[in-house]
Amino acid sequence: MKLVSFLLEGREQAGILTEAGVKPLGATMNEVIRDPSKLCAPADEVALAEVELLAPIPRPEQDVICLGLNYTEHAEEAYGYSKQAFSADRAHPVFFSKRATYCQGSGAPIPAHADLTQRLDYEAELAVVLGKDVRDISEDEVEDAVFGYTIINDVSARDLQTTHKQWYFGKSLDGFCPMGPCIVTRDEVPWPPAMDISATVNGELRQHSNTRMLIHGIPEIVSTLSRGMLLRAGTVIATGTPKGVAMGMDVPRFLAPGDTVVCAIEGIGRLENTVE
């Protein structure tokens, strides 16, 4: 099923998306993830016109965990842009975190932060949402720990990223974690996910690949992270982006106010945001 978060009469809650509307669940998405039994008793359907859709997890309970350089061709274009900032031993997953005090949904703006950056970039990514607390799990146990999947645009200020020679600040400005349009529960997606992923800017195709091209797949990612570290239900892991980001072009074409980015993943939908 597809799950969304929305505002109805000023109250934020999760719901089951239908063809014509949404069935409210009477709880936030974080609460539903921790207690999936809440999925069993939805209220009567409400028309989409009566609600305001939000990111599926508007307020993650902790930073989003991200994978860097997890598609071969993107790793090559990043290295070409800045050998110092993007060099890495890709024999092992490259992890970093992204501050996400609030994630905006599809249709909400991406702030330009023009006072801080002139090199605003996009990254379409498949995000995994965990459905249970896990620690020290094997790769064979990972599928059972997954709640579902969504889309994240890992918006990045490349000048901050390279100037500070670390990734946290340049990826964590307010509004740099658009998410949506929904969470697709794991039972809807064959394991491991092999889904087409793309990004367009103003209708121009910039990124196009498939999640089967991940260097480090979801079983390895989650199992590795869980070694000696408790991963709580609701943890969001962005699995990396394919080639085609602005910094990888021969002449980089960074985002500017008015540009619209659409990140799309097969079976999940479209995450559309305009820079303001």
Side-chain angles (χ1 to χ4, degrees):
M1 67 183 73
K2 291 185 175 181
L3 304 176
V4 294
S5 289
F6 60 93
L7 288 176
L8 178 62
E9 297 178 348
R11 180 187 177 190
E12 178 189 316
Q13 58 179 307
I16 300 171
L17 188 65
T18 68
E19 290 187 5
V22 61
K23 294 182 178 181
L25 295 171
T28 67
M29 189 68 75
N30 284 323
E31 291 169 338
V32 171
I33 292 169
R34 288 194 296 269
D35 182 7
S37 68
K38 296 183 184 297
L39 293 168
C40 300
D44 292 338
E45 184 175 276
V46 178
L48 284 177
E50 298 181 31
V51 305
E52 178 185 348
L53 292 178
L54 307 171
I57 307 178
R59 297 172 183 82
E61 294 186 340
Q62 57 190 354
D63 286 359
V64 173
I65 300 172
C66 301
L67 269 289
L69 311 176
N70 202 26
Y71 288 78
T72 299
E73 291 179 324
H74 172 60
E76 292 169 351
E77 69 180 353
Y79 185 72
Y81 179 74
S82 174
K83 294 178 176 58
Q84 186 175 28
F86 296 102
S87 61
D89 175 6
R90 291 190 297 277
H92 303 285
V94 178
F95 297 113
F96 63 95
S97 61
K98 182 181 184 78
R99 191 73 168 168
T101 53
Y102 182 79
C103 298
Q104 72 269 43
S106 189
I110 296 171
H113 289 288
D115 57 330
L116 291 172
T117 179
Q118 299 301 311
R119 298 183 178 183
L120 191 65
D121 211 343
Y122 52 88
E123 294 189 2
E125 306 205 12
L126 172 68
V128 181
V129 181
L130 298 186
K132 60 173 64 175
D133 292 356
V134 296
R135 188 177 187 276
D136 295 324
I137 64 171
S138 69
E139 292 189 17
D140 290 341
E141 296 173 296
V142 169
E143 180 181 6
D144 187 57
V146 172
F147 179 79
Y149 308 92
T150 189
I151 305 169
I152 279 179
N153 183 351
D154 180 17
V155 181
S156 306
R158 300 301 187 190
D159 35 10
L160 296 181
Q161 194 174 1
T162 54
T163 298
H164 291 268
K165 297 182 175 59
Q166 49 77 39
W167 300 354
Y168 188 77
F169 184 33
K171 288 177 172 283
S172 296
L173 301 185
D174 290 346
F176 273 21
C177 196
M179 177 193 296
C182 63
I183 292 175
V184 175
T185 53
R186 76 160 190 258
D187 57 299
E188 299 285 336
V189 179
W191 182 259
M195 308 155 81
D196 283 344
I197 179 171
S198 66
T200 63
V201 178
N202 302 329
E204 176 191 0
L205 184 64
R206 297 277 187 91
Q207 294 182 283
H208 185 225
S209 188
N210 190 287
T211 60
R212 67 173 177 269
M213 302 302 291
L214 291 171
I215 298 171
H216 306 285
I218 294 168
E220 180 187 358
I221 291 168
V222 177
S223 176
T224 299
L225 275 173
S226 76
R227 295 173 190 166
M229 182 193 302
L230 176 66
L231 302 176
R232 294 196 177 277
T235 295
V236 180
I237 303 173
T239 58
T241 199
K243 74 170 184 177
V245 297
M247 71 172 179
M249 298 178 175
D250 291 339
V251 178
R253 293 159 61 191
F254 294 107
L255 298 174
D259 287 343
T260 297
V261 184
V262 177
C263 301
I265 296 182
E266 177 185 5
I268 301 177
R270 291 161 43 98
L271 172 64
E272 180 173 340
N273 305 91
T274 299
V275 179
E276 292 186 358

